[in-house]
């Protein structure tokens, strides 16, 4: 096969996705929302650490944010399956517009910080489930993995401008102006969702009882070995990357690397840049088996070592490495779940997996806080590396290389 023929073979399904009547519109609306979402941890980390000098307050925020994510993921799955992803995304961004407009007032107290974290977490969890379900509602099986890659990539591509926005905001704008900008972005995305028709996006068989819905979701988790394995690896990610990214890296940048506002604003979003590249790779790079996920987790662990150095450059490289492999893992996981779980309970099954991940993230957050206060950052990183290895071994032990799993992987990942 000539190079031109190969290019046409690869590019044709991408053209089909790009010319879909609704998917690009959803992607652009989600992109606007994601800019706001990913500005928040930069702004709030700098405000709390630089202005309040209180690591505890930062840990409180991210703890309640994580609790909110778990609540939103668990309840949001049922909401998505019964109401459709478009309505869920619209309502979530409308709520975030309001709460961010009030953020300056909420940040004056611990209760306000916890409230802000909880509301942003709940709406973020619901939106994440809806975004994961959306490609399955719109695309055929053959185009699904490309649709997932496209949805992830077009949103995360805008992370390239987030360092400029974050740095400019930290230098030139007051706290109230920064939060007004974030609220405006959520307001724009809400308007974008209002303009998209809801045709074909609701569940045709959504009239389940709550009891049946939950039983169906748990049954999908219990009976399918590949979901067990995804659950184990999600737990690994929850126990390691959360505390490292949300607490450890900001602390190391400010206190070890002595980063100024500009360097801080440029370095933190590099995780998002890595996510974008990882999402792009998921649309082209075909894993031979589920063992690809094993190697990806091992490479992810390399990033853990880089982000606890005294050099802003090494920390930035480490953030990009962590983002790269996290983005790849997220996209592949979303594709497989979308094809292997029945569509009518996909939101609930995805939400339950997200919840299992999220309820363990506070352990990582407080573990990082404990390590900082006890000056035991390197031992904490060593424990994280051990958790990655143990998670991989457990996954292998419960049948990671089984014939069923390999067949599932080869049937849904990009065809050669």
């Amino acid at each position: 096969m000539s190079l031109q023929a190969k290019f046409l073979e690869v590019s044709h399904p991408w053209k089909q996705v790009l010319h879909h009547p609704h998917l690009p519109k959803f992607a652009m609306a989600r992109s606007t929302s994601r800019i706001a979402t990913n500005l928040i941890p930069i702004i709030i980390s700098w405000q709390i650490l630089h202005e309040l000098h209180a690591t505890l307050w930062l840990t409180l925020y991210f703890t309640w944010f994580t609790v909110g994510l778990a609540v939103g993921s668990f309840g949001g799955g049922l909401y998505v399956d019964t109401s459709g992803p478009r309505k869920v995304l619209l309502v979530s961004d409308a709520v975030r517009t309001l709460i961010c407009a009030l953020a300056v007032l909420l940040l004056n107290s611990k209760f306000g910080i916890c409230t802000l974290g909880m509301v942003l977490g709940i709406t973020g969890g619901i939106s994440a489930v809806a975004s994961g379900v959306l490609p399955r509602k719109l695309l055929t099986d053959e185009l699904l993995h490309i649709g997932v890659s496209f949805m992830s990539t077009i949103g995360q591509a805008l992370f390239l401008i987030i360092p400029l926005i974050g740095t400019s905001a930290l230098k030139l704008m007051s706290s109230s102006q920064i939060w007004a900008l974030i609220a405006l972005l959520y307001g724009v995305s809400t308007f974008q969702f209002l303009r998209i028709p809801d045709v074909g996006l609701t569940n045709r068989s959504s009239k389940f009882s709550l009891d049946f819905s939950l039983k169906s979701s748990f049954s999908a988790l219990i009976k399918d070995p590949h979901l067990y394995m995804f659950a184990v690896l999600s737990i690994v990610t929850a126990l390691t990357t959360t505390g490292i990214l949300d607490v450890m890296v900001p602390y190391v940048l400010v206190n070890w690397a002595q980063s100024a506002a500009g360097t801080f604003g440029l370095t933190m979003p590099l995780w998002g840049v890595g996510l974008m590249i990882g999402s792009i790779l998921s649309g082209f790079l075909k894993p031979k088996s589920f063992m690809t996920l094993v190697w990806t987790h091992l490479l992810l662990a390399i990033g853990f070592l880089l982000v606890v150095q005294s050099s802003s450059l090494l920390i930035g490289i480490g953030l990009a490495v962590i983002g790269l492999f996290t983005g790849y893992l997220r996209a592949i996981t979303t594709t497989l779940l979308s094809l292997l779980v029945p569509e009518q309970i996909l939101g609930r099954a995805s939400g339950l997996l997200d919840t299992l991940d999220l309820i363990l993230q506070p352990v990582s957050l407080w573990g990082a806080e404990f390590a900082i206060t006890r000056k035991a950052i390197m031992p904490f990183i060593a424990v994280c590396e051990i958790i990655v290895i143990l998670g991989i071994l457990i996954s292998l032990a419960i049948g990671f290389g089984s014939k069923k799993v390999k067949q599932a992987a080869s049937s849904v990942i990009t065809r050669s």
Side-chain angles (χ1 to χ4, degrees), residues 206-243:
S206 61
K207 302 301 182 182
F208 297 108
S209 69
L210 177 61
D211 178 65
F212 177 77
S213 300
L214 294 178
K215 284 183 178 179
S216 298
S217 301
F218 280 114
S219 176
L221 290 172
I222 292 171
K223 293 182 179 179
D224 291 317
H226 51 271
L227 290 177
Y228 265 116
M229 290 172 264
F230 280 127
V232 170
L233 296 177
S234 293
I235 291 171
V236 168
T237 303
L239 291 176
T240 56
T241 59
T242 308

Side-chain angles (χ1 to χ4, degrees), residues 96 214 217 305 317 366:
R96 288 194 278 195
L214 294 178
S217 301
L305 297 174
I317 293 173
W366 286 99

Side-chain angles (χ1 to χ4, degrees), residues 114-267:
C114 294
T115 301
L116 180 65
M118 187 71 171
V119 174
L120 289 176
I122 290 174
T123 51
I126 293 173
S127 295
V129 174
S131 296
V133 170
L134 183 63
R136 181 58 176 162
K137 297 285 186 179
L138 297 174
L139 299 173
T140 63
D141 290 357
E142 290 74 18
L143 296 176
L144 182 58
H145 71 283
I146 296 177
V148 171
S149 177
F150 170 70
M151 281 288 291
S152 300
T153 302
I154 196 169
Q156 291 163 1
L158 294 177
F159 288 163
L160 291 174
I161 67 171
I162 286 180
L164 298 177
I165 297 175
T167 302
S168 299
L170 288 172
K171 288 183 175 181
L172 304 175
M173 301 173 69
S174 66
S175 296
S176 58
Q177 290 171 331
I178 293 171
W179 285 105
L181 172 63
I182 292 172
L184 176 63
L185 288 169
Y186 280 130
V188 170
S189 65
T190 301
F191 178 72
Q192 289 174 309
F193 285 126
L194 278 171
R195 298 184 62 190
I196 302 173
D198 209 17
V199 179
L201 292 171
T202 55
N203 197 329
R204 291 184 294 273
S205 53
S206 61
K207 302 301 182 182
F208 297 108
S209 69
L210 177 61
D211 178 65
F212 177 77
S213 300
L214 294 178
K215 284 183 178 179
S216 298
S217 301
F218 280 114
S219 176
L221 290 172
I222 292 171
K223 293 182 179 179
D224 291 317
H226 51 271
L227 290 177
Y228 265 116
M229 290 172 264
F230 280 127
V232 170
L233 296 177
S234 293
I235 291 171
V236 168
T237 303
L239 291 176
T240 56
T241 59
T242 308
I244 291 174
L245 292 174
D246 294 342
V247 178
M248 194 73 72
V249 171
Y251 175 85
V252 171
L253 272 173
V254 172
N255 294 280
W256 285 14
Q258 300 293 312
S259 298
T263 303
F264 187 92
L266 287 169
T267 303

